[in-house]
Amino acid sequence: AQSVTQLDSHVSVSEGTPVLLRCNYSSSYSPSLFWYVQHPNKGLQLLLKYTSAATLVKGINGFEAEFKKSETSFHLTKPSAHMSDAAEYFCVVSGEDNYGQNFVFGPGTRLSVLP
Amino acid sequence: DGGITQSPKYLFRKEGQNVTLSCEQNLNHDAMYWYRQDPGQGLRLIYYSQIVNDFQKGDIAEGYSVSREKKESFPLTVTSAQKNPTAFYLCASSIDGSGTKYGYTFGSGTRLTVV
């Protein structure tokens, strides 16, 4: 079975400082991994995805993530936080042949950005 | 632009009432999903459908029902049997049944409140 752990339920950074949101996964298959962002009372928006190509993945709004198989990690980073980055972030693992229930969400990390 | 439309954005239900949440997509995606989101609990899968006229229960299907008569539409009915329906409901779709390669596309959500 697949699973996702987001190591921090809440991360707080100052505007202009780096962001690191941590994600570890477990999967018996070669996984696909995704990061989604959710602003309050909104749907989820895809930030970036890893699907077995380059291990360093660049996404929208300056975010990137690195797939590290040896560490089973897919941490999300951004060099400089902006106030508009304040939101909930979800890490997702997919890959096992269990159609319909293939997408496993992490519990989410709430990012606060202080002025 | 292609996307998923959920309506209404806010919905109020009286005790003992059934209500139906609408989800329409014009992405020509085969698979559609309904999730429930509660504070601090992430996303939980209610129902999913991989093709027209077929759907499967997710992890928390009790008290909910769905239909998939058209590829574009996947309405969710919250019945009176659902004892705690107050939550944020998200509809999603994927081009295939797994979401592994391209991920899911989400609607903007419906917030249901029991009054």
Side-chain angles (χ1 to χ4, degrees), chain A residues 32 34 36 38 41-46 49-51 88 90 94-96 98-103 105-107, chain B residues 9-10 33 35 37 42-43 45 48 50 57-59 88 90 97-104 106-108 111:
Chain A
S32 294
F34 306 82
Y36 283 84
Q38 183 182 32
N41 292 311
K42 301 291 186 184
L44 276 68
Q45 180 185 16
L46 180 64
K49 62 184 178 185
Y50 166 77
T51 56
E88 189 92 18
F90 293 94
S94 174
E96 294 190 5
N98 185 14
Y99 280 75
Q101 304 198 49
N102 206 10
F103 239 48
F105 287 84
Chain B
K9 188 172 177 67
Y10 298 95
Y33 313 83
Y35 286 90
Q37 188 176 28
L43 279 74
L45 182 65
Y48 62 97
Q50 296 176 46
K57 292 181 179 180
D59 301 320
F88 191 54
L90 286 162
S98 70
T100 298
K101 191 170 182 182
Y102 300 105
Y104 288 6
F106 283 86
S108 57
R111 183 163 297 281

Side-chain angles (χ1 to χ4, degrees), chain A residues 10-90:
Chain A
H10 183 212
V11 170
S12 186
V13 301
S14 297
E15 190 174 22
T17 64
V19 175
L20 170 64
L21 304 183
R22 296 182 292 168
C23 172
N24 286 88
Y25 70 91
S26 172
S27 177
S28 303
Y29 293 71
S30 295
S32 294
L33 292 155
F34 306 82
W35 275 99
Y36 283 84
V37 61
Q38 183 182 32
H39 289 90
N41 292 311
K42 301 291 186 184
L44 276 68
Q45 180 185 16
L46 180 64
L47 274 179
L48 48 80
K49 62 184 178 185
Y50 166 77
T51 56
S52 76
T55 56
L56 182 62
V57 181
K58 294 187 184 298
I60 62 172
N61 300 335
F63 284 94
E64 64 181 39
E66 186 171 9
F67 173 68
K68 293 186 176 180
K69 186 175 181 179
S70 61
E71 299 177 10
T72 61
S73 69
F74 191 57
H75 301 333
L76 181 71
T77 61
K78 182 174 180 177
S80 177
H82 190 272
M83 295 295 289
S84 61
D85 295 327
E88 189 92 18
Y89 291 80
F90 293 94

